[in-house]
């Protein structure tokens, strides 16, 4: 599969992207509180479903970045619009699904009921973003047999 070839050729980019997106939430929260890593860690322990989805999201994001960098200079299917859907899914999943620090920004734009709705259904938004990233990997030819 092409995604495995991309991971073999660009392993560090994929690993650092996955770790980076995984640690981005506490790094954003560090701007408001020095206890961000402790709060983040306790939240991960408290919500196992969100944690599992967050891990899957981070791994798929790393795979997507690795595949994107692998296919960027190769004309495998020559459709660059497929990449924007993957980055859109990653942004959607990160902001709505796994970034509680982003809710303060969203709360300024939405009424309280909108923020509560987003918080209550954050696993659903994370699953949606995982689906978008998987679809984008498929559109980039990640599941093709070379």
């Amino acid at each position: 599969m092409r995604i495995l070839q991309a991971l073999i050729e660009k392993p560090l980019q994929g690993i650092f992207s996955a770790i980076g997106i995984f640690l981005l939430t506490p790094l954003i929260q560090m701007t408001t509180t020095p206890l961000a890593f402790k709060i983040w860690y306790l939240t991960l322990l408290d919500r196992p479903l969100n944690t599992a989805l967050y891990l899957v999201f981070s791994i798929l994001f790393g795979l997507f970045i690795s595949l994107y960098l692998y296919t960027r200079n190769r004309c495998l299917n020559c459709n660059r619009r497929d990449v924007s859907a993957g980055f859109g899914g990653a942004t959607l999943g990160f902001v709505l699904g796994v970034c509680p620090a982003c809710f303060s920004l969203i709360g300024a734009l939405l009424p309280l009921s909108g923020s509560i709705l987003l918080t209550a259904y954050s696993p659903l938004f994370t699953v949606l973003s995982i689906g978008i990233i998987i679809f984008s990997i498929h559109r980039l030819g990640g599941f093709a047999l070379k």
Side-chain angles (χ1 to χ4, degrees), residues 66-83:
S66 181
L67 180 65
Y68 167 71
L69 293 174
Y70 176 75
T71 61
R72 184 176 55 182
N73 296 327
R74 294 172 176 83
C75 186
L76 300 173
N77 66 357
C78 297
N79 193 352
R80 298 294 176 221
R81 290 189 330 232
D82 300 334
V83 173

Side-chain angles (χ1 to χ4, degrees), residues 39-73:
I39 294 168
W40 175 74
Y41 177 72
L42 292 174
T43 303
L44 289 178
L45 291 178
D46 188 45
R47 299 181 180 155
L49 175 63
N50 287 0
T51 302
L53 291 173
Y54 189 31
L55 283 170
V56 170
F57 172 78
S58 299
I59 291 167
L60 285 173
F61 182 78
L63 289 173
F64 175 73
I65 295 298
S66 181
L67 180 65
Y68 167 71
L69 293 174
Y70 176 75
T71 61
R72 184 176 55 182
N73 296 327

Side-chain angles (χ1 to χ4, degrees), residues 83-131:
V83 173
S84 61
F87 285 115
T91 303
L92 172 78
F94 181 74
V95 171
L96 297 179
V98 298
C99 180
C102 300
F103 286 133
S104 59
L105 173 64
I106 294 170
L109 303 173
L110 295 175
L112 181 61
S113 61
S115 296
I116 292 171
L117 181 78
L118 291 176
T119 304
Y121 293 106
S122 67
L124 182 63
F125 289 113
T126 307
V127 168
L128 177 65
S129 68
I130 287 170

